[in-house]
Amino acid sequence: MPQLSGTQLRTDWEKRALAKGASLASVLLQNLPPILNQHLHKWHIDLVQSQLLPRMPQGAVVLDLACGYGRVSLTIKVIRPDIQLLGLDFAYPYCQHYTENVRSPAICASIYDLPFMPDFLDGIVAITALMYVATGQEEAVFQQLIHRLKPGGFALFLDPGAEFLNAASLFARSRTSTSGKGFKMDDYWQFGQTRT
């Protein structure tokens, strides 16, 4: 897939948000059958429950990066109402959906210029978010994210692997920039080693 400008990617996501609203097909893979997107969503939520939430202190501040309409934050809010949720998305319609659905603030901003001070967040959840970072910018984005975490903070990064995206493309080829790219496991380890 050719690298598109951030403006084109934002435009494509805004169109998708307006067309599909608060649905799994809006934020997950459009070409998958709904039952497979339901399975992915359940798996994502299970990981949030088992890996992120037990590590969050009472009253934690958690960023839902590329928050979409709030599918992940809605579950967090039910399970841990003490957590202060913040959404961040670069598509304004998703920020509107998030604010309405989750009843928490959503910031319309770029992942390349996060509007948070260092050591501000207790946790970050970024599910199917980092796959849209421009090639060559991954390390800078990971560094920004890690530096926004308080010492001892925890981030849950989850993106589909290249193999999964290739298999999913067999259902139907996507013709938009909202398809993203896959990571290899070593990529996360490499990009995550930025905190000094």
Side-chain angles (χ1 to χ4, degrees):
M1 181 178 74
Q3 193 77 38
L4 295 176
S5 73
T7 303
Q8 182 61 54
L9 186 61
R10 176 179 286 128
T11 299
D12 289 349
W13 274 106
E14 287 176 346
K15 288 178 185 174
R16 189 166 163 177
L18 292 170
K20 300 202 179 270
S23 70
L24 293 181
S26 174
V27 294
L28 293 176
L29 298 169
Q30 294 183 91
N31 54 331
L32 285 185
I35 194 159
L36 291 181
N37 270 335
Q38 284 284 353
H39 178 73
L40 277 177
H41 173 68
K42 182 184 180 320
W43 179 55
H44 293 162
I45 296 305
D46 288 348
L47 286 171
V48 168
Q49 286 182 269
S50 67
Q51 301 302 313
L52 177 73
L53 295 183
R55 291 174 167 86
M56 291 298 100
Q58 188 74 19
V61 177
V62 174
L63 174 65
D64 186 347
L65 186 68
C67 61
Y69 66 84
R71 75 177 179 97
V72 173
S73 286
L74 286 167
T75 299
I76 293 172
K77 188 172 187 163
V78 168
I79 296 169
R80 290 284 306 272
D82 63 289
I83 288 179
Q84 299 174 51
L85 293 164
L86 298 170
L88 185 136
D89 206 293
F90 74 156
Y92 184 71
Y94 280 129
C95 291
Q96 289 179 307
H97 288 311
Y98 184 91
T99 300
E100 292 167 8
N101 294 332
V102 181
R103 303 275 185 228
S104 291
I107 300 159
C108 194
S110 169
I111 195 170
Y112 301 107
D113 189 24
L114 297 173
F116 305 108
M117 298 294 293
D119 302 328
F120 176 70
L121 302 165
D122 294 290
I124 298 171
V125 59
I127 298 180
T128 66
L130 300 174
M131 61 194 281
Y132 300 103
V133 172
T135 301
Q137 295 298 309
E138 298 94 349
E139 188 171 344
V141 167
F142 272 80
Q143 185 168 345
Q144 272 202 70
L145 290 169
I146 290 168
H147 282 284
R148 294 321 187 266
L149 285 172
K150 293 177 182 175
F154 186 81
L156 176 62
F157 299 140
L158 180 64
D159 289 283
E163 297 85 359
F164 175 81
L165 290 176
N166 288 336
S169 73
L170 297 175
F171 286 96
R173 294 268 178 211
S174 177
R175 293 176 181 85
T176 71
S177 64
T178 60
S179 298
K181 64 179 181 203
F183 283 101
K184 294 179 265 175
M185 191 181 307
D186 289 346
D187 292 337
Y188 275 134
W189 288 113
Q190 175 190 342
F191 299 138
Q193 300 298 317
T194 58
R195 182 106 191 195
T196 55

